[in-house]
Amino acid sequence: MADYTSLHIDKESHKFSAAHYTIFSATERERLHGHNYSVSARFIAPLGDNGFSADYNVYKNRLAGLCEELDEYMLLAAESPYQRIEEDGNFYRVHFNGEEMLFLRADTLLLPIRNATVEEFSRYLLQKLVALSAGEGLTEIELFVASGPGQKAGSLWRSS
Ligand SMILES: Nc1nc2c(c(=O)[nH]1)N=C([C@H](O)[C@H](O)COP(=O)(O)OP(=O)(O)OP(=O)(O)O)CN2
């Protein structure tokens, strides 16, 4: 029987502080605010005859790097069906439901996501983590993003 193990990385240091707003419909969104988001992940890997699967320090470092990339930014959903974002000098001008918002480009990340939700953040970070982990023999990765204690979403990748 093939042995598999799950490695869980759930470190307090894996977090990013970011501003965002969730869009609920073409006319409803919440006000701009922020969170200290936390990121955790579960890795399924074959367990070798030596009782070792994969060096979890590798995954700790990758998760820390992914958090750093998003830390202390305003996060905008570039693929939202409800808002239009244009570059305007040093700013992004965001059009939503007849209103306009300006964000300094230096403070803002346009992410390839449909909404600034924990679901979409987890999906985006998982895609990056899977790309970084290609060819390492993992069978599953599930990555979670929490916007606060007791509320998170996860996205799952399985090797084909
Ligand atoms: N499915 C989702 N629903 C909601 C999301 C989300 O990402 N996915 N996000 C929000 C808002 O961003 C809101 O900020 C949620 O956070 P909130 O619960 O207000 O955060 P707190 O840390 O203040 O939690 P408390 O329980 O109030 O302490 C809404 N829905």
Side-chain angles (χ1 to χ4, degrees):
M1 176 185 83
D3 271 355
Y4 291 88
T5 194
S6 61
L7 298 173
H8 298 245
I9 308 295
D10 189 0
K11 295 186 74 64
E12 190 178 347
S13 58
H14 291 165
K15 59 189 176 184
F16 61 93
S17 301
H20 85 117
Y21 53 87
T22 297
I23 296 175
F24 300 110
S25 72
T27 57
E28 291 175 279
R29 69 173 177 86
E30 56 183 1
R31 286 192 309 276
L32 178 64
H33 63 285
H35 296 277
N36 293 319
Y37 289 94
S38 57
V39 177
S40 58
R42 176 179 66 85
F43 303 81
I44 305 290
L47 184 60
D49 294 340
N50 62 346
F52 181 77
S53 56
D55 180 1
Y56 58 53
N57 281 316
V58 170
Y59 304 116
K60 281 166 55 179
N61 293 336
R62 287 179 188 159
L63 288 173
L66 292 173
C67 291
E68 179 62 27
E69 286 178 23
L70 299 185
D71 194 31
E72 298 184 358
Y73 281 103
M74 165 63 201
L75 302 179
L76 277 177
E79 297 175 4
S80 165
Y82 300 127
Q83 67 184 2
R84 180 166 56 86
I85 302 169
E86 57 195 21
E87 292 184 9
D88 184 351
N90 292 332
F91 298 90
Y92 289 117
R93 184 178 298 272
V94 181
H95 303 263
F96 172 82
N97 188 31
E99 60 184 5
E100 291 187 16
M101 296 172 272
L102 282 177
F103 298 103
L104 269 176
R105 290 171 62 184
D107 288 354
T108 304
L109 290 180
L110 285 193
L111 298 182
I113 58 177
R114 296 160 294 185
N115 206 340
T117 57
V118 287
E119 298 92 309
E120 288 287 281
F121 292 146
S122 69
R123 188 166 166 272
Y124 168 72
L125 290 175
L126 176 68
Q127 286 168 351
K128 293 178 78 89
L129 182 58
V130 167
L132 289 168
S133 308
E136 293 178 354
L138 295 173
T139 53
E140 255 186 39
I141 303 176
E142 188 170 23
L143 185 145
F144 301 88
V145 173
S147 60
Q151 54 196 50
K152 61 184 171 186
S155 293
L156 177 65
W157 167 86
R158 282 202 178 103
S159 65
S160 49

